[in-house]
Amino acid sequence: SLWVAVTLGLLCASVASVARVAPRMSVARPPPGPYPDFDFEQAAAVRPLPAPAVVSSTVHADVLWHSSQIWSRVVSQAESIASGSTVLKRYLSSFVLEHKDFPTALGTLLAEKLHGHGVDRSELGPLLVELCHDDEMHRASLADILQVASVDPSAPDLLTVLLHFKGYHALQVHRAAHQLWLRGDEHWKHIALMLQGRCAATFSLDIHPAARIGQGVFLDHGTGIVIGETASIGDECYLLHGVTLGSTGKFDEARRRHPQVGSRVHIGASATILGPITVGDDAVVGAKAIVTKNVLPRQTVVGTNRVLERSGNSVPGESTWMYDI
């Protein structure tokens, strides 16, 4: 019939149009991430893993599979710098080039920074190297360094973070101390507390060995950060200097005295979060804020327990309003 003929004609015209356009079409690929030198796709060829532009919680469990490639990148950067600097050649050799892998280099570096005041590097070094080789700590230390290199413009490469970022160093000392604390024996707990004390004296960060901290965490600058015994922090959190996760002296039902911070939370400089409260995932705590009440996921808190929200109908410059938690 005429109706069928017209319909078939339109269908054929549509197919022809798609055929003309199809050669010019291509599958959209995500733009290169902020750390394009690290070839996750090549590393993932050994095992079917995600190929992220930046470290995210979806790849933390698999980041160990990238360890050799990360270490090769660090060694390559160190060799390049050492070849052009007599001042740095011995330094880079001692903490990078003489070592076979990332955990050995990290443990040796931390022992060098912490020794003294009765702590012998020849005794502390092997212990820290052993702890750094533990799968859980190895995985976390890699996720941490990749996160810093991915999000901080002042970290041009992995080598810079490994050698010079004290927030990263302090966090890895805490991870080692936390492993010892979990062993439960008084002997190991005293060594964990010793590491806490040496970390505080060396890096000006005080983190109790019992505190639980997730992976991909960035302690930016780090000076003055205090994290209490029963505090916890999720994955991919960002804390600036002066942050306190402290206690008011009150306990909850689980005997927790300190805050529980979710994942992907940003906490500004000198913010103080107190008591057995919860800060939800993706929340933001402003600089110098004082928080003593629960914060919901994705909320922004400023001042003293004040939630900052945006009104969709407000004009630019007058687009926020606040209310008490």
Side-chain angles (χ1 to χ4, degrees):
S1 66
L2 178 61
W3 181 84
V4 173
V6 171
T7 302
L8 288 175
L10 291 174
L11 179 60
C12 291
S14 299
V15 172
S17 176
V18 171
R20 288 193 300 271
V21 175
R24 300 193 299 270
M25 298 174 63
S26 60
V27 177
R29 295 183 63 84
Y35 201 74
D37 290 333
F38 189 73
D39 185 3
F40 279 99
E41 292 185 351
Q42 182 60 36
V46 179
R47 186 181 176 94
L49 304 177
V54 296
V55 172
S56 67
S57 58
T58 59
V59 298
H60 285 160
D62 302 313
V63 73
L64 283 180
W65 292 94
H66 304 303
S67 181
S68 61
Q69 187 175 2
I70 293 171
W71 179 240
S72 295
R73 180 61 180 164
V74 171
V75 170
S76 176
Q77 292 163 355
E79 289 174 341
S80 176
I81 295 173
S83 65
S85 173
T86 55
V87 175
L88 292 174
K89 186 173 183 179
R90 183 176 179 181
Y91 175 71
L92 291 169
S93 178
S94 297
F95 298 118
V96 178
L97 301 178
E98 291 180 358
H99 303 295
K100 62 179 182 178
D101 54 29
F102 187 89
T104 303
L106 178 60
T108 302
L109 176 65
L110 295 179
E112 177 64 27
K113 290 183 175 294
L114 296 176
H115 85 277
H117 298 274
V119 180
D120 191 325
R121 73 163 66 84
S122 65
E123 297 174 349
L124 181 60
L127 175 61
L128 289 176
V129 169
E130 174 194 339
L131 295 170
C132 287
H133 274 93
D134 173 81
D135 281 352
E136 183 175 353
M137 179 169 176
H138 188 184
R139 182 179 293 111
S141 66
L142 294 175
D144 294 340
I145 197 171
L146 288 173
Q147 185 75 342
V148 176
S150 296
V151 305
D152 192 346
S154 68
D157 50 47
L158 298 171
L159 179 67
T160 298
V161 182
L162 175 63
L163 294 180
H164 307 303
F165 275 49
K166 74 171 186 177
Y168 177 75
H169 297 152
L171 180 54
Q172 306 321 308
V173 173
H174 165 72
R175 295 194 186 285
H178 185 66
Q179 286 190 70
L180 297 176
W181 186 267
L182 293 180
R183 293 182 181 182
D185 184 89
E186 287 299 311
H187 165 72
W188 294 117
K189 284 190 172 183
H190 276 287
I191 296 179
L193 291 169
M194 179 270 291
L195 289 176
Q196 177 193 3
R198 293 300 304 137
C199 181
T202 304
F203 304 120
S204 299
L205 289 84
D206 191 5
I207 310 174
H208 194 281
R212 294 176 289 114
I213 300 180
Q215 301 174 10
V217 172
F218 183 11
L219 307 183
D220 200 355
H221 302 294
T223 302
I225 287 178
V226 177
I227 300 175
E229 179 182 9
T230 62
S232 63
I233 299 174
D235 293 337
E236 299 172 43
C237 289
Y238 176 81
L239 283 69
L240 273 161
H241 48 283
V243 167
T244 298
L245 302 183
S247 169
T248 61
K250 297 179 180 179
F251 294 82
D252 66 4
E253 298 80 0
R255 303 296 294 171
R256 186 168 55 93
R257 310 190 312 278
H258 301 90
Q260 179 178 351
V261 177
S263 295
R264 300 173 302 281
V265 175
H266 286 214
I267 306 180
S270 299
T272 301
I273 307 175
L274 300 175
I277 63 173
T278 298
V279 179
D281 294 346
D282 302 292
V284 176
V285 179
K288 294 191 176 181
I290 299 175
V291 184
T292 59
K293 298 180 180 180
N294 291 334
V295 179
L296 296 177
R298 295 177 296 281
Q299 280 188 331
T300 297
V301 184
V302 297
T304 302
N305 292 326
R306 299 280 283 177
V307 172
L308 187 67
E309 289 198 355
R310 183 175 298 276
S311 175
N313 298 323
S314 298
V315 297
E318 300 178 358
S319 59
T320 58
W321 56 281
M322 293 184 289
Y323 62 88
D324 292 334
I325 296 177

